[in-house]
Amino acid sequence: MAAPATGTRASARRPPARVIRYNRPTRWYHAAIYLTVTVLLITGWWLRTGHEGRPSLLADVAGAPDTDIHRRAGWVLVGIATAGVTLGARAAWTFVRETLRADRGDGRWLRRWPLAVLTGRFAPHKGRFDPGQRLANVVFVGGLGTVIVSGVALTQVSAGPTFATMVKVHRGATYVLTAMVIGHVLVAAGVLPGYRGVWRSMHLGGRARADVVRRLWPADAPTSAPHEAGASDRSGAGLPGSDGAGLEGGPVDLAQREGEGDLGQPEGQQPDAEDDGQHEHGRRRPGKGQHAGHEADHAARQDPPPPLGA
């Protein structure tokens, strides 16, 4: 009767299951984009608000004018985008396919979204991205693409009607991109109650709680309890183009075996070595009296020691 109680206590101590939704290349690519865009927005808005000629804090740290930092960061973004559609072509195609999909129930999800961000009760949806993410992806890609094209054009011309048009396009895309970034940060940081815990899917190893994934992305949620799911599923982690989703949790995760003994059994439930020895091969271990008899017989069979001086 004591064993079930011990198992219950071990289960209570066990950390919640976690799901790896994005693999490592995806997380690093995302980090490279938002760090570069952050530099572009800081320097761009500094110049836009009439501070050209006065170095920003970023310019003081970098030891370069804001205009140079902005231009270099722009070319870095061009390189990141190019790598994404070439080296990561498979992942890019998956992103496009999942972003442009449309399913029945998407309208219902969007109608319930304003209340769901406060309650966490999102309507179910299909696919890796919810309908809101799909719309955001379209705006983000369109905004970044417009910023890149207009920015490259501004480096090639210095005056004339084309330059004036590209300046307007570049500024307009920057306004849209800034608003999207602010909204994205509010969602990703978990400021809105319905999105609490979502930031872990892209940071610190990408291990989001299974209940968070189940609430926001039902298609990626584990379909079985952690102890039924087998070993931690890391298939696809680190492979470009794969979603890298996997389950971690329960007794199958080595990181969660603290407080457990050999063979993954909780303390207090290890096999009794004495009992195992007594029942090995169906024979009972001989008692003390039997051991003494065997030793006496063995001593009697041995040859007597040679006489002294031999």
Side-chain angles (χ1 to χ4, degrees):
M1 297 298 292
T6 305
T8 302
R9 288 196 298 269
S11 299
R13 293 195 306 266
R14 190 172 297 133
R18 295 187 179 274
V19 175
I20 301 178
R21 174 169 160 79
Y22 299 107
N23 60 22
R24 185 174 298 171
T26 301
R27 298 195 302 269
W28 280 100
Y29 190 79
H30 176 264
I33 289 179
Y34 74 66
L35 289 175
T36 306
V37 170
T38 298
V39 173
L40 286 170
L41 290 178
I42 291 174
T43 54
W45 278 105
W46 182 263
L47 297 171
R48 178 69 181 89
T49 52
H51 294 87
E52 187 172 358
R54 288 185 292 171
S56 64
L57 179 61
L58 185 61
D60 286 336
V61 172
D66 289 284
T67 52
D68 288 352
I69 297 175
H70 190 82
R71 187 180 299 107
R72 292 171 185 173
W75 284 116
V76 170
L77 185 61
V78 171
I80 293 173
T82 302
V85 298
T86 54
L87 300 179
R90 179 184 170 191
W93 168 244
T94 301
F95 176 84
V96 172
R97 185 186 67 238
E98 290 292 326
T99 294
L100 299 181
R101 69 179 295 161
D103 302 299
R104 293 189 61 182
D106 288 352
R108 180 170 175 264
W109 189 96
L110 292 170
R111 289 192 300 270
R112 292 182 58 175
W113 180 79
L115 184 61
V117 298
L118 302 177
T119 64
R121 297 177 180 177
F122 294 91
H125 68 86
K126 298 178 181 179
R128 281 188 60 77
F129 302 127
D130 61 52
Q133 283 181 290
R134 295 174 215 159
L135 294 177
N137 289 346
V138 171
V139 178
F140 264 120
V141 172
L144 287 171
T146 303
V147 164
I148 290 174
V149 171
S150 59
V152 171
L154 288 173
T155 64
Q156 305 303 313
V157 294
S158 57
T162 301
F163 180 83
T165 301
M166 289 298 101
V167 167
K168 293 179 180 179
V169 171
H170 197 73
R171 287 178 179 174
T174 300
Y175 299 154
V176 174
L177 190 60
T178 301
M180 292 299 298
V181 168
I182 293 173
H184 184 66
V185 170
L186 288 176
V187 169
V191 175
L192 302 172
Y195 288 101
R196 284 176 184 166
V198 70
W199 66 276
R200 290 295 299 267
S201 66
M202 269 294 183
H203 302 88
L204 300 181
R207 294 172 175 86
R209 287 175 58 118
D211 57 332
V212 174
V213 174
R214 188 174 294 108
R215 183 177 74 243
L216 296 171
W217 306 291
D220 289 340
T223 56
S224 59
H227 63 279
E228 298 172 350
S232 298
D233 181 9
R234 296 175 186 269
S235 60
L239 298 177
S242 62
D243 54 24
L247 172 67
E248 288 189 347
V252 301
D253 188 0
L254 293 179
Q256 299 177 7
R257 287 180 182 262
E258 297 180 2
E260 297 183 0
D262 295 336
L263 303 178
Q265 296 189 12
E267 293 180 352
Q269 296 186 17
Q270 294 301 310
D272 193 317
E274 184 175 350
D275 291 343
D276 287 346
Q278 291 181 356
H279 296 284
E280 184 179 4
H281 302 303
R283 295 194 301 269
R284 186 175 297 275
R285 178 182 294 179
K288 294 182 179 179
Q290 292 175 317
H291 274 301
H294 288 309
E295 291 174 359
D297 292 342
H298 181 67
R301 295 192 197 99
Q302 292 180 346
D303 293 331
L308 295 175

